Amino acid sequence: MNLTKLFLAYYDCRKNKRKTASAIKFELDYESNLIQLHEEIMNRTYTVGKSIAFIVDRPVKREIFAGDFRDRIVHHFIVNELNPIFENLFIHDSYSCRVGKGTSFGIARMEHFMRASSDNYRSEAWILKLDIAGFFMSIDRTVLLGMIENIIDTKYSWEDSETLRFLVRTVIWNDPTKNCVIKWKRTDWQGLPRNKSLFFAPPWVGLPIGNLTSQIFANLYLHPLDEFIKKTLKIQNYGRYVDDFVLLHPSRELLESSIPKIEDFLTQKLYLTLHPDKITLRPTRDGFSFLGAYLKPYRTYIGNRTKGNFLRAIREWNEKICHCERNEVKRGNPENIRITTYPRSPHRSALRDDETIFLSSVNSYLGILKQFSTYRLRKKMLSQNLSAHFWNEFYVSGGYGKIVRKRRKTWI
């Protein structure tokens, strides 16, 4: 295994994780740490470190396992080696964790499929939308490992094959529930279905949400399903984002008869089951939701969940400002109420850290909304919901498409 490849994986890993505690600790002496990691891998003594387990509530409630920084480097190395091969295998219309094939691409492809299956909306067509129950927690690790090792044996031509095989096995068979720190409270898990938690999964089943390898391997795991639908069922207007997939065809009967065939394939080949409450068959004229949008003939709308999450993020920010203002008044410092004055108050220091996060969040939502005809919606949500104090430090640019921090004059 070339040490240079590990350094490249490290540089990929550090792009978005430099502020985490494990990343800061690793980077204090990153060259020595990378050399030590390389030696452990070559000596086959590398083991996966401790993960941090926590719950996120949006967009839906999920269990996350965040790996240690050095383990994330290994994940990037594996993906860097295998992903070019995977890309040559995958169909054109799987949209998760692929360069140039994100949510915007997926929505555009679904608009194309609606037109293609309905003769440009001149005839009736049908949409079949399906979902897999507890997908990540139901992935059979033995089946997955067999798929990857077959690819390494037949398509991977570099001399690192045995090292890569060792790392893939180590990552796949690691059980993060046996070596993790629970962040926040155990009561956060209340309301999370058992089939969405690794703590209740059999030892040979399930991948942790939060690892880069889990997302890439999930795409590979459902690749046989993609080929079955397109080559065996011969339904060409088909797209998938992780475990949500949509089939479009002029014949309702064909789509309806495909449901038990898909269910049998999933059960027998991949040991997965369709979610019984998420099987939808409807005409294209009624539209359908996909990737945060609602698609109808001639028009695509932003999804209600995305709008609700954006509004919730704004209200949470307003609450932080109000909380900080109340503390300044209690301390007898009402002159410190402006957002980025940043006096000695610890509450102001915390707010300053949150400000950058919020700015990234709101601009992310605005970037999504700009993909649709939402100028009035963007203007209304920002002008009517953001705290008045926010505008002391920020302004809007690009037709309510971006929030920018005001530049302050420096006096010498």
Side-chain angles (χ1 to χ4, degrees):
M1 175 185 178
N2 192 326
L3 183 59
T4 303
K5 291 183 177 181
L6 202 60
F7 269 86
L8 291 174
Y10 159 71
Y11 291 128
D12 288 339
C13 185
R14 72 190 286 212
K15 289 178 182 177
N16 298 315
K17 299 294 179 184
R18 299 194 71 179
K19 292 185 179 181
T20 62
S22 61
I24 294 171
K25 181 180 178 181
F26 190 93
E27 290 199 324
L28 289 174
D29 192 7
Y30 74 93
E31 290 184 340
S32 298
N33 288 330
L34 281 171
I35 292 171
Q36 180 183 349
L37 177 59
H38 180 262
E39 290 176 353
E40 290 179 18
I41 293 172
M42 298 308 295
N43 296 333
R44 303 298 190 262
T45 58
Y46 165 75
T47 57
V48 179
K50 187 171 291 187
S51 299
I52 298 176
F54 57 95
I55 295 291
V56 296
D57 293 312
R58 295 191 294 271
V60 296
K61 194 162 191 172
R62 287 193 181 100
E63 176 186 84
I64 306 294
F65 284 89
D68 189 77
F69 186 76
R70 76 196 301 266
D71 297 323
R72 290 177 180 271
I73 296 173
V74 172
H75 298 166
H76 277 272
F77 169 78
I78 293 172
V79 170
N80 288 347
E81 294 299 296
L82 289 176
N83 212 38
I85 302 174
F86 291 170
E87 282 295 322
N88 289 331
L89 293 175
F90 292 160
I91 65 169
H92 187 66
D93 287 292
S94 62
Y95 313 123
S96 174
C97 296
R98 301 181 67 187
V99 177
K101 293 188 177 182
T103 55
S104 297
F105 177 81
I107 292 169
R109 288 293 289 171
M110 284 298 145
E111 292 172 337
H112 166 73
F113 290 155
M114 288 178 71
R115 292 191 298 270
S117 60
S118 63
D119 191 21
N120 204 22
Y121 305 125
R122 286 193 289 265
S123 60
E124 188 171 64
W126 293 82
I127 301 157
L128 174 61
K129 187 179 177 186
L130 302 169
D131 186 281
I132 295 172
F135 172 56
F136 276 94
M137 307 309 155
S138 302
I139 293 175
D140 189 300
R141 299 183 194 182
T142 304
V143 174
L144 173 63
L145 183 60
M147 290 179 178
I148 298 174
E149 289 191 332
N150 180 60
I151 289 173
I152 294 174
D153 290 339
T154 59
K155 299 184 181 297
Y156 187 80
S157 57
W158 300 96
E159 61 184 13
D160 300 331
S161 60
E162 288 305 314
T163 300
L164 183 59
R165 188 192 305 270
F166 162 72
L167 291 176
V168 168
R169 286 177 177 173
T170 302
V171 169
I172 287 179
W173 286 115
N174 173 62
D175 184 356
T177 64
K178 306 299 183 186
N179 187 20
C180 69
V181 175
I182 304 293
K183 189 176 181 180
W184 298 312
K185 299 174 292 185
R186 291 183 181 271
T187 54
D188 293 337
W189 270 255
Q190 292 179 358
L192 183 72
R194 284 180 170 246
N195 69 342
K196 293 186 178 293
S197 173
L198 277 181
F199 288 103
F200 300 102
W204 65 89
V205 170
L207 293 181
I209 299 176
N211 288 352
L212 175 63
T213 48
S214 297
Q215 301 171 57
I216 304 299
F217 291 168
N219 265 352
L220 177 68
Y221 196 77
L222 286 182
H223 175 65
L225 172 67
D226 299 337
E227 291 198 315
F228 173 75
I229 291 174
K230 292 184 75 72
K231 295 181 179 180
T232 303
L233 300 183
K234 301 189 182 303
I235 298 175
Q236 299 306 310
N237 295 326
Y238 162 80
R240 177 178 60 81
Y241 184 85
V242 194
D243 61 327
D244 295 333
F245 49 107
V246 180
L247 301 78
L248 298 94
H249 199 273
S251 171
R252 174 188 175 125
E253 291 73 20
L254 186 144
L255 290 178
E256 200 165 15
S257 65
S258 298
I259 298 173
K261 296 176 183 177
I262 293 171
E263 195 158 22
D264 288 344
F265 180 87
L266 288 172
T267 303
Q268 296 173 13
K269 301 294 184 181
L270 301 176
Y271 306 105
L272 301 171
T273 57
L274 290 177
H275 197 302
D277 298 329
K278 295 185 179 181
I279 299 175
T280 304
L281 181 60
R282 62 174 65 180
T284 53
R285 65 174 180 271
D286 291 346
F288 67 103
S289 59
F290 190 63
L291 299 181
Y294 197 87
L295 295 89
K296 296 190 73 172
Y298 305 109
R299 180 77 183 232
T300 299
Y301 302 88
I302 187 69
N304 289 331
R305 177 189 289 176
T306 304
K307 290 188 288 186
N309 288 341
F310 187 21
L311 184 59
R312 189 180 296 110
I314 291 175
R315 287 173 176 170
E316 287 176 356
W317 172 255
N318 289 340
E319 179 58 31
K320 287 179 184 291
I321 294 175
C322 292
H323 177 73
C324 193
E325 290 175 357
R326 287 193 295 268
N327 279 286
E328 295 297 347
V329 171
K330 287 179 181 178
R331 291 169 180 269
N333 301 318
E335 70 279 3
N336 288 339
I337 283 178
R338 290 192 62 173
I339 291 178
T340 52
T341 303
Y342 304 134
R344 289 173 292 277
S345 166
H347 300 283
R348 279 293 166 196
S349 178
L351 188 62
R352 184 178 186 179
D353 294 337
D354 290 339
E355 182 184 286
T356 302
I357 297 174
F358 174 74
L359 196 61
S360 299
S361 176
V362 71
N363 282 331
S364 176
Y365 279 113
L366 289 174
I368 296 171
L369 290 169
K370 281 173 65 178
Q371 304 296 322
F372 309 91
S373 301
T374 57
Y375 173 80
R376 291 181 181 178
L377 176 64
R378 299 196 303 270
K379 181 178 180 181
K380 178 180 178 180
M381 293 188 77
L382 293 179
S383 60
Q384 295 186 9
N385 293 289
L386 274 172
S387 168
H389 296 295
F390 180 86
W391 302 108
N392 291 331
E393 307 298 334
F394 300 92
Y395 67 92
V396 178
S397 72
Y400 285 88
K402 186 177 182 181
I403 298 291
V404 182
R405 193 193 309 269
K406 291 180 180 178
R407 291 189 178 183
R408 289 184 169 277
K409 293 182 179 179
T410 302
W411 299 96
I412 301 176

